[in-house]
Amino acid sequence: MEQPAPQSALEAPDLRANVLPTVSVVVLNYNGLRHLETCFDSLLSLDYPKERLELMLVDNGSSDGSLDFMREGFPTVRLVETGSNLGFAAGNNYGAERATGEYVALLNNDTRVEPDWLSELVRSLLADEERGVVCTSSLMLDWDGKTIDFYSGALNFHGFGFQPSYGLPVDAVEPQHRELLFACGGSMLIQRDVFLEVGGFDPDFFAFFEDVDLGWRLWILGHRITMTPTAITYHRHHGTASGVANHRWQVIYERNALYTLYKNYEQPNLDRILPAALLLLGQRVVRFMELGGVDFSDYDFTAPLHSSPSETPTLENVHRSAVATLLAADDFRANLHKMTPKREWLQANRKRTDEELFARFGQPGRVHLLNHETDAQYSSAHHSLLHEFGIEQLWDEVPKEVLLISPDVLPVGDIPASGSGIRAWALGRGLASRGHRVRYTMPKAALAGRERQVPSEYVRGAWTPETLQGMVDAMAPDVIVSCGWPNLTWLPRANVPVALDLTGPHLLERIYQEHLDAQANSAEKLAALERADFFTCISERQRYYFTAWLAQAGVHPDDIGSSLQVIPYSLDPDMPEHVWPEDWSSEEVRFVYGGIFLPWQNPAPALLAVASVLQEQGRGRLEVIGGKHPFHAVHTGGFGPLVDRLGTMSSVQMSGLLPHDELVKRYTHAHVAVDVMQPNAERELAFPSRTVHYMWCGLPVIHAAFSEVAEWIRDYEAGWVVPHDDPEALRQVVTSILADPQEARRRGENAARLAGERFTWDRTIEMLDRFVRDPYVRSERMRRETRQGSGVAQPDPSRNVTVATGTDGLYATSPEVARKIQLVHDRRRTLRAQVAARTMEVIRGVRGAVSAPLAGELELPELVIGHSIGQRFYSQQNGLSGVRVQVETFGRRNTSRLFLRLRHSPGATYDIYQIEIPSHNLRDGQVLTLRFPPVPDSAGRWFYFLAETPDGVPGDAISLRGVKNLEGLRAQRYDDGIPAPGYLIMSLEYNGSAR
Amino acid sequence: MNGNSPTTTKDGASPERTVAIVIPTHNNLRLLRECLRSVRALDYPADRLETIVVDNGSIDGTFAAVHAPQEGVRCLRVERNTGFAPACNCGAAEASAEYVAFLNDDALADPQWLNELFSALDSGGEGAVCAASRIISRDGKQIEFNGASSNLFGVGRPRSVWGWPDAPTPPGHAGPLLFASGGAMLIHRRTFLDVGGFDPNFFAYFEDVDLGWRLWVLGYRVVYAPGAVVRHIGGATGTRQPAHRRYTLWECNSLATVLKNYEGGNMQRLLSGALLLLYKRALLASGDDFDPRDYSLAGPKDTNSLNIERLPRVSVAHLAAIDRFNSLLPAFMEERRRIQSARVRSDREILPMLGRLWEPQFAGEAYTEASGQLAAALDLYNITSPALPNRVLVLAGSGDGEAQEVAGALGEGFLVALASLQPGAPHSWSRERSYIRHTLAPDAAEVHALAQQADAVVVFPSALQIGLPSDLATPVALIGSADAGRLKVAVRLDRADLEALRLFCRRPVPTPIAG
């Protein structure tokens, strides 16, 4: 949607005073006395002709003396009083109705503007008016002009506007004059008669999203809106809205999103979207209730009863946002009759279809962020609704925001690229060729020391294991494409649809790299596969290989066929031109082998055979281009001795790894490529990128017969296929090429044809493009089970039933187990009652009762299944690297285990770090430490420490020690996620040492 | 509908048909034994009968106690409690008989039970595959299932409406009905399995409403067999679960019934309506546990800086239902696509089967008002009115000629019942040209029932003089300027304004009377 406006807009129109229109600047004010001086000082400095300018202060019933101040300090400013607080929307309308200018500039009171702010807005609008532009937005920066406040306005499908560039450093974007879905209500210029004719801001909104609604409405009615980045406003953050609790604003915020979508969509789309919007609203309420401490697993019919019905506490703690959001839905319902006539008028006057406008939303499928982050449960509801209700189809022509995570260096800039980097690049470019907006990110470690050699955007956007999750959360892309599963191990909350490209088994590689713990490797791999929804692999053989893995990772066998697709290794459809000699008599036949040296590859017998033939015949040359992996610390296996031997042969020319462009140049000037490896499990499954790359450069390839690509080479006669264990056959091929090099050219041209027809990204991307166009989150139920227990996913009864023919005893629950379960339930009941009582104490305390001074020890109960003890604490320094707590064993030897977890907050559902501690060796009072790599930016942040047990039952459980008063640490203790009195005994470690 | 349809024999009793009685059970051995005794006493050839107990993860030794192949009782053991619906499906799948009869483990079948069910099927017309029993309490004093109806939002009720032009006669007669109670019903086994059985994701509650609705959508018929009597002992499994868990399933399952069974277009609008009403119920269920002024920009400052409210579990359960519904959405939608692609009857044909489209799911005027407003704003009456006009109850003193005139006029376009109130009069009714006229005492239970079933009530001054039920939650139009008495919600209309009255009856939105 961010198209630059046509050239005309950039040409300055005639700005002679007599053709300039009259403009009224409307500044709405409600108790904003402290802002007025700065704001109006800047308005008085405007370079706009005074006689064509009306400055107005519309006062929304202030009681802070704003009006007196204005009368005294700014006598030339026209004062208009509304009499009471009409809200932002109606207050601005009130001003616009009373303004005298042909244009109205609406400006927040907590701003200041550049002197040419207004003349830039007017110039821009006048230039574009012929195209139907009636409104233009100012560029808003923060007060210091360092970061962007408003540059682009976007909207998700259920009515939540957002500002994609918000908070970015000013130099991160190159501001363009372009079209926008909506102008920022805080600083914009609009034709006054149009503003009034379309109804202005909707007064029922009061505040929030009225500018989104106005913008959308203007577009529907056939008008256009632009951004004028040369008109600059500085905005003081939270200057106006402060003073009222967030949950009160939230009622309006949530409601207005519903108003916006209700008024503006065409009927068939509204029918489809409104129920989805309402279901998502409910899912947000669920989340807010959880934040307060509701355990939804207790609402599951199949879960064991936490206590008997008569003893279950009847009240639950919910966060106020939950109530606010429900009230928003109810307010929407109660006021529907007010919205309906507005909707009917708008739809009757519609000039543009929803379909035309979806592209202007920016990212219609974006997940609404809760507290600035995504939540797994919420995200999966979001994506499943988009998919199941066919909503995503409404904008399937709108490009998607794709985040492509590369495991390796990408072929950008001046550095050597690897096969997996080129693979990632190809998928990204393939998607881009279908219109999607792809953002690439490669590992920061891969760029170490090479930052100057790649474009700065790649350096800025590079990922580290610590930052990847945050990057995804902040960007909220429509789809993630992860190249290789190891990336996903750093994404514990893969909350958006994830396509995972599996370019190789990646287990064998690990073993070759001496990550020898196969079991740990497999577990890690399965965990990563579970985080993806759609899979691509590189060859048919790998498809079979991965089928088994996907089944183990929980993909239903019926779905594997459709969710695992082959995308061959592919390259740019714009292929390089191969250079063939006109006359072979003066040309040496050049054989080539290129690529990174990897321990699971063994081309030695073949390369030695080729080199020796050339040596024997005294003609021809073998170029070996390669070296150690440029980024991963991978040893080179048998390559060392091979290089040594080849180095002694006169027919061989060695060179190190080359940047991609350089490598292509070498390949296009060579004549025959060699890729004959010794087989092993990895190689037999692989689809050698090396060979595709050769053919793409127009090189015919001598290839080993066992490989899948050998069939293509045979079919196209794109080279020669030889058995890997028949040196004689290879020698014959080399000899025949030396005798008739023209045959190499013929086969090379076939190779180029093969690459062009089968291995270019514009063609091979099809199946991935389909997923990206209508993406989905797989296995919602499976993910949910981690939270809700087994109750939601109902298995097919025919699979679950055992038709018993034998005795009852086979299935009976042993009395011992039953007793244990009962014990747990009893314990839970008392604990819950204690927790509830404590919570009430805390609430009462906060509400004004005086709490008694605390001293001495605090006895904490045994930590049993289903319960947690936690503490939120404040880190004063950077480099937080450990949390120490003290254990309470109740003076006995226990067998249960203990999980210690570090999270961002009590509401967080994932761990930053965790350890598991068996308790059988613990002594009473022993210090336990949860250690982790130092968190570099921990200073000034809160963290949450949590202890849980997977198997502790009363009588066999440990706990942590508490005190009533804790020195030297700002902290809040929690029981089961609910604030509780007292503290855990806790100290912190920084950069590996205790403080 | 297809080759699997049962072969209906017209000659009454059909002893050649085989039946599997499927009894799902969960830790209820004592009552189950009684239930099995009643099954053994059935007047039905034992060689045509198989009895299958589905033990849903009991830990009270049910399996060992009842698994007795030599006595014709098979016990299927499900390892954990997967719910009522999956247990029934599993029993039906394991059976081999032509028909399957579901029976609750705490119910006693009358000896003629099966014969009566079959005879209702045989006279039920083409496509009749499922028959409902009459379910009464053990002592016979209470009627638990004597007909079926549902509101627009899938909340089924075990009784039918009557006393209206579309259903004038009191219940208890054989005939078509929306659904059979899952507690005691007969169904053609192949058809049951082909249409997908009870939806396993319902776990429990309303799966029978959904099945009946689906059968009608797919072109089958469900019929009532009033002579097929089952005595329900009570103490059903569900009541052992706390209320908040039951609410979660009720709310989720009624949403799923809407999602699965309505035509495209209707479904989306009704689902939006159902969701907004669900959120309303969540708020109403929280009662006074939070102060709405704390959520208003203009409200006074409060000191709850923890930002925590305490809400009742039954209120939170509404959201647990949304959580469950969203997570099961892919499964429900898959079912929806399957059902809609095989649709035979339109919504318009099925809506009249529901009977009480606008029955509120929550007591009280606030809810009635909300639901009326919503129906008007979302144009839901445009979906329902062509299929089943609103029910209008006219209340008047007997001999009120004007009321009879108005009832006659409203009868063109609405389903009208005129209650002529006459103290002490026994209930009688007659069919007038365009309405049903009831003569009855103002304190008769039937007045109350009619008012509950009505979508709008029109009150004439002559009725006010006699006295009205005190808890009329239905939107009321008050003719003339008579004293509103105890009515809190009404619209005042002029005596002669028939057009205004029609408008009100079409979209009955109550407004509180000032003062």
Side-chain angles (χ1 to χ4, degrees), chain B residues 382-404:
Chain B
N382 277 3
I383 298 174
T384 60
S385 297
L388 185 67
N390 283 347
R391 298 186 189 280
V392 179
L393 174 66
V394 180
L395 283 171
S398 65
D400 188 333
E402 191 190 3
Q404 288 167 29

PDB file of all heavy atoms in Angstrom, chain B residues 382-404:
ATOM      1  N   ASN B 382     -35.458 -10.480  10.367  1.00  0.00           N
ATOM      2  CA  ASN B 382     -35.560 -10.751   8.931  1.00  0.00           C
ATOM      3  C   ASN B 382     -35.260 -12.207   8.612  1.00  0.00           C
ATOM      4  O   ASN B 382     -35.665 -12.722   7.585  1.00  0.00           O
ATOM      5  CB  ASN B 382     -34.577  -9.871   8.155  1.00  0.00           C
ATOM      6  CG  ASN B 382     -35.163  -8.502   7.926  1.00  0.00           C
ATOM      7  OD1 ASN B 382     -36.274  -8.228   8.395  1.00  0.00           O
ATOM      8  ND2 ASN B 382     -34.439  -7.663   7.213  1.00  0.00           N
ATOM      9  N   ILE B 383     -34.494 -12.851   9.492  1.00  0.00           N
ATOM     10  CA  ILE B 383     -34.224 -14.269   9.288  1.00  0.00           C
ATOM     11  C   ILE B 383     -35.408 -15.094   9.779  1.00  0.00           C
ATOM     12  O   ILE B 383     -35.833 -16.043   9.139  1.00  0.00           O
ATOM     13  CB  ILE B 383     -32.953 -14.690  10.048  1.00  0.00           C
ATOM     14  CG1 ILE B 383     -31.742 -13.920   9.520  1.00  0.00           C
ATOM     15  CG2 ILE B 383     -32.728 -16.189   9.961  1.00  0.00           C
ATOM     16  CD1 ILE B 383     -30.467 -14.166  10.322  1.00  0.00           C
ATOM     17  N   THR B 384     -35.952 -14.708  10.913  1.00  0.00           N
ATOM     18  CA  THR B 384     -36.936 -15.581  11.549  1.00  0.00           C
ATOM     19  C   THR B 384     -38.359 -15.355  11.061  1.00  0.00           C
ATOM     20  O   THR B 384     -39.102 -16.317  10.874  1.00  0.00           O
ATOM     21  CB  THR B 384     -36.922 -15.361  13.075  1.00  0.00           C
ATOM     22  OG1 THR B 384     -37.253 -14.003  13.362  1.00  0.00           O
ATOM     23  CG2 THR B 384     -35.565 -15.687  13.647  1.00  0.00           C
ATOM     24  N   SER B 385     -38.735 -14.104  10.853  1.00  0.00           N
ATOM     25  CA  SER B 385     -40.145 -13.828  10.586  1.00  0.00           C
ATOM     26  C   SER B 385     -40.724 -14.577   9.388  1.00  0.00           C
ATOM     27  O   SER B 385     -41.830 -15.090   9.472  1.00  0.00           O
ATOM     28  CB  SER B 385     -40.380 -12.323  10.438  1.00  0.00           C
ATOM     29  OG  SER B 385     -40.063 -11.692  11.644  1.00  0.00           O
ATOM     30  N   PRO B 386     -40.013 -14.646   8.276  1.00  0.00           N
ATOM     31  CA  PRO B 386     -40.599 -15.380   7.153  1.00  0.00           C
ATOM     32  C   PRO B 386     -40.818 -16.855   7.474  1.00  0.00           C
ATOM     33  O   PRO B 386     -41.691 -17.496   6.885  1.00  0.00           O
ATOM     34  CB  PRO B 386     -39.562 -15.224   6.038  1.00  0.00           C
ATOM     35  CG  PRO B 386     -38.717 -14.076   6.443  1.00  0.00           C
ATOM     36  CD  PRO B 386     -38.709 -14.078   7.937  1.00  0.00           C
ATOM     37  N   ALA B 387     -40.035 -17.396   8.388  1.00  0.00           N
ATOM     38  CA  ALA B 387     -40.165 -18.812   8.702  1.00  0.00           C
ATOM     39  C   ALA B 387     -41.176 -19.028   9.827  1.00  0.00           C
ATOM     40  O   ALA B 387     -42.025 -19.917   9.752  1.00  0.00           O
ATOM     41  CB  ALA B 387     -38.811 -19.384   9.122  1.00  0.00           C
ATOM     42  N   LEU B 388     -41.066 -18.242  10.829  1.00  0.00           N
ATOM     43  CA  LEU B 388     -41.951 -18.407  11.976  1.00  0.00           C
ATOM     44  C   LEU B 388     -42.248 -17.013  12.518  1.00  0.00           C
ATOM     45  O   LEU B 388     -41.419 -16.410  13.187  1.00  0.00           O
ATOM     46  CB  LEU B 388     -41.268 -19.259  13.058  1.00  0.00           C
ATOM     47  CG  LEU B 388     -42.134 -19.612  14.258  1.00  0.00           C
ATOM     48  CD1 LEU B 388     -43.269 -20.542  13.864  1.00  0.00           C
ATOM     49  CD2 LEU B 388     -41.300 -20.264  15.356  1.00  0.00           C
ATOM     50  N   PRO B 389     -43.461 -16.503  12.218  1.00  0.00           N
ATOM     51  CA  PRO B 389     -43.787 -15.150  12.692  1.00  0.00           C
ATOM     52  C   PRO B 389     -43.714 -15.113  14.214  1.00  0.00           C
ATOM     53  O   PRO B 389     -43.838 -16.141  14.879  1.00  0.00           O
ATOM     54  CB  PRO B 389     -45.227 -14.940  12.211  1.00  0.00           C
ATOM     55  CG  PRO B 389     -45.450 -15.970  11.155  1.00  0.00           C
ATOM     56  CD  PRO B 389     -44.558 -17.123  11.480  1.00  0.00           C
ATOM     57  N   ASN B 390     -43.519 -13.921  14.742  1.00  0.00           N
ATOM     58  CA  ASN B 390     -43.474 -13.779  16.196  1.00  0.00           C
ATOM     59  C   ASN B 390     -44.796 -14.208  16.826  1.00  0.00           C
ATOM     60  O   ASN B 390     -45.854 -14.105  16.227  1.00  0.00           O
ATOM     61  CB  ASN B 390     -43.184 -12.325  16.571  1.00  0.00           C
ATOM     62  CG  ASN B 390     -41.719 -12.001  16.366  1.00  0.00           C
ATOM     63  OD1 ASN B 390     -40.891 -12.905  16.190  1.00  0.00           O
ATOM     64  ND2 ASN B 390     -41.395 -10.724  16.366  1.00  0.00           N
ATOM     65  N   ARG B 391     -44.659 -14.694  18.063  1.00  0.00           N
ATOM     66  CA  ARG B 391     -45.857 -15.072  18.820  1.00  0.00           C
ATOM     67  C   ARG B 391     -46.333 -13.868  19.617  1.00  0.00           C
ATOM     68  O   ARG B 391     -45.543 -13.250  20.334  1.00  0.00           O
ATOM     69  CB  ARG B 391     -45.524 -16.203  19.787  1.00  0.00           C
ATOM     70  CG  ARG B 391     -45.051 -17.458  19.094  1.00  0.00           C
ATOM     71  CD  ARG B 391     -44.863 -18.609  20.061  1.00  0.00           C
ATOM     72  NE  ARG B 391     -44.202 -19.705  19.370  1.00  0.00           N
ATOM     73  CZ  ARG B 391     -44.847 -20.558  18.556  1.00  0.00           C
ATOM     74  NH1 ARG B 391     -46.159 -20.446  18.388  1.00  0.00           N
ATOM     75  NH2 ARG B 391     -44.175 -21.513  17.921  1.00  0.00           N
ATOM     76  N   VAL B 392     -47.594 -13.569  19.483  1.00  0.00           N
ATOM     77  CA  VAL B 392     -48.157 -12.428  20.200  1.00  0.00           C
ATOM     78  C   VAL B 392     -49.281 -12.927  21.092  1.00  0.00           C
ATOM     79  O   VAL B 392     -50.208 -13.589  20.629  1.00  0.00           O
ATOM     80  CB  VAL B 392     -48.696 -11.365  19.217  1.00  0.00           C
ATOM     81  CG1 VAL B 392     -49.310 -10.197  19.993  1.00  0.00           C
ATOM     82  CG2 VAL B 392     -47.592 -10.885  18.293  1.00  0.00           C
ATOM     83  N   LEU B 393     -49.163 -12.643  22.377  1.00  0.00           N
ATOM     84  CA  LEU B 393     -50.232 -12.995  23.315  1.00  0.00           C
ATOM     85  C   LEU B 393     -51.027 -11.735  23.620  1.00  0.00           C
ATOM     86  O   LEU B 393     -50.464 -10.722  24.039  1.00  0.00           O
ATOM     87  CB  LEU B 393     -49.630 -13.568  24.607  1.00  0.00           C
ATOM     88  CG  LEU B 393     -50.632 -13.837  25.725  1.00  0.00           C
ATOM     89  CD1 LEU B 393     -51.610 -14.955  25.328  1.00  0.00           C
ATOM     90  CD2 LEU B 393     -49.924 -14.201  27.033  1.00  0.00           C
ATOM     91  N   VAL B 394     -52.310 -11.800  23.370  1.00  0.00           N
ATOM     92  CA  VAL B 394     -53.180 -10.673  23.699  1.00  0.00           C
ATOM     93  C   VAL B 394     -53.894 -11.004  24.996  1.00  0.00           C
ATOM     94  O   VAL B 394     -54.540 -12.053  25.104  1.00  0.00           O
ATOM     95  CB  VAL B 394     -54.195 -10.415  22.568  1.00  0.00           C
ATOM     96  CG1 VAL B 394     -55.096  -9.233  22.941  1.00  0.00           C
ATOM     97  CG2 VAL B 394     -53.467 -10.141  21.263  1.00  0.00           C
ATOM     98  N   LEU B 395     -53.726 -10.154  25.986  1.00  0.00           N
ATOM     99  CA  LEU B 395     -54.358 -10.390  27.285  1.00  0.00           C
ATOM    100  C   LEU B 395     -55.512  -9.406  27.448  1.00  0.00           C
ATOM    101  O   LEU B 395     -55.323  -8.185  27.311  1.00  0.00           O
ATOM    102  CB  LEU B 395     -53.339 -10.159  28.411  1.00  0.00           C
ATOM    103  CG  LEU B 395     -52.311 -11.259  28.653  1.00  0.00           C
ATOM    104  CD1 LEU B 395     -51.267 -10.781  29.640  1.00  0.00           C
ATOM    105  CD2 LEU B 395     -52.995 -12.519  29.169  1.00  0.00           C
ATOM    106  N   ALA B 396     -56.679  -9.942  27.752  1.00  0.00           N
ATOM    107  CA  ALA B 396     -57.839  -9.064  27.894  1.00  0.00           C
ATOM    108  C   ALA B 396     -58.853  -9.719  28.806  1.00  0.00           C
ATOM    109  O   ALA B 396     -58.798 -10.934  29.041  1.00  0.00           O
ATOM    110  CB  ALA B 396     -58.455  -8.785  26.528  1.00  0.00           C
ATOM    111  N   GLY B 397     -59.759  -8.928  29.324  1.00  0.00           N
ATOM    112  CA  GLY B 397     -60.863  -9.503  30.073  1.00  0.00           C
ATOM    113  C   GLY B 397     -61.789 -10.215  29.095  1.00  0.00           C
ATOM    114  O   GLY B 397     -61.849  -9.876  27.907  1.00  0.00           O
ATOM    115  N   SER B 398     -62.495 -11.209  29.583  1.00  0.00           N
ATOM    116  CA  SER B 398     -63.382 -11.921  28.656  1.00  0.00           C
ATOM    117  C   SER B 398     -64.471 -10.949  28.218  1.00  0.00           C
ATOM    118  O   SER B 398     -64.932 -10.119  28.994  1.00  0.00           O
ATOM    119  CB  SER B 398     -63.976 -13.152  29.331  1.00  0.00           C
ATOM    120  OG  SER B 398     -64.805 -12.746  30.376  1.00  0.00           O
ATOM    121  N   GLY B 399     -64.840 -11.059  26.975  1.00  0.00           N
ATOM    122  CA  GLY B 399     -65.880 -10.197  26.451  1.00  0.00           C
ATOM    123  C   GLY B 399     -65.341  -8.850  26.000  1.00  0.00           C
ATOM    124  O   GLY B 399     -66.118  -7.948  25.711  1.00  0.00           O
ATOM    125  N   ASP B 400     -64.023  -8.680  25.946  1.00  0.00           N
ATOM    126  CA  ASP B 400     -63.446  -7.433  25.423  1.00  0.00           C
ATOM    127  C   ASP B 400     -63.462  -7.497  23.901  1.00  0.00           C
ATOM    128  O   ASP B 400     -62.604  -8.124  23.278  1.00  0.00           O
ATOM    129  CB  ASP B 400     -62.016  -7.263  25.954  1.00  0.00           C
ATOM    130  CG  ASP B 400     -61.434  -5.893  25.594  1.00  0.00           C
ATOM    131  OD1 ASP B 400     -61.866  -5.329  24.563  1.00  0.00           O
ATOM    132  OD2 ASP B 400     -60.564  -5.409  26.332  1.00  0.00           O
ATOM    133  N   GLY B 401     -64.460  -6.873  23.325  1.00  0.00           N
ATOM    134  CA  GLY B 401     -64.646  -6.957  21.876  1.00  0.00           C
ATOM    135  C   GLY B 401     -63.492  -6.333  21.118  1.00  0.00           C
ATOM    136  O   GLY B 401     -63.068  -6.841  20.080  1.00  0.00           O
ATOM    137  N   GLU B 402     -62.951  -5.260  21.670  1.00  0.00           N
ATOM    138  CA  GLU B 402     -61.864  -4.583  20.973  1.00  0.00           C
ATOM    139  C   GLU B 402     -60.636  -5.495  20.909  1.00  0.00           C
ATOM    140  O   GLU B 402     -59.960  -5.583  19.884  1.00  0.00           O
ATOM    141  CB  GLU B 402     -61.525  -3.296  21.718  1.00  0.00           C
ATOM    142  CG  GLU B 402     -60.591  -2.409  20.908  1.00  0.00           C
ATOM    143  CD  GLU B 402     -60.053  -1.252  21.741  1.00  0.00           C
ATOM    144  OE1 GLU B 402     -60.363  -1.179  22.938  1.00  0.00           O
ATOM    145  OE2 GLU B 402     -59.295  -0.449  21.160  1.00  0.00           O
ATOM    146  N   ALA B 403     -60.380  -6.178  22.017  1.00  0.00           N
ATOM    147  CA  ALA B 403     -59.233  -7.083  22.059  1.00  0.00           C
ATOM    148  C   ALA B 403     -59.398  -8.182  21.014  1.00  0.00           C
ATOM    149  O   ALA B 403     -58.445  -8.576  20.339  1.00  0.00           O
ATOM    150  CB  ALA B 403     -59.087  -7.685  23.452  1.00  0.00           C
ATOM    151  N   GLN B 404     -60.614  -8.699  20.874  1.00  0.00           N
ATOM    152  CA  GLN B 404     -60.845  -9.754  19.879  1.00  0.00           C
ATOM    153  C   GLN B 404     -60.586  -9.221  18.472  1.00  0.00           C
ATOM    154  O   GLN B 404     -60.011  -9.898  17.631  1.00  0.00           O
ATOM    155  CB  GLN B 404     -62.271 -10.278  20.002  1.00  0.00           C
ATOM    156  CG  GLN B 404     -62.465 -11.119  21.263  1.00  0.00           C
ATOM    157  CD  GLN B 404     -63.926 -11.378  21.570  1.00  0.00           C
ATOM    158  OE1 GLN B 404     -64.758 -11.427  20.657  1.00  0.00           O
ATOM    159  NE2 GLN B 404     -64.238 -11.552  22.842  1.00  0.00           N
TER     160      GLN B 404
END
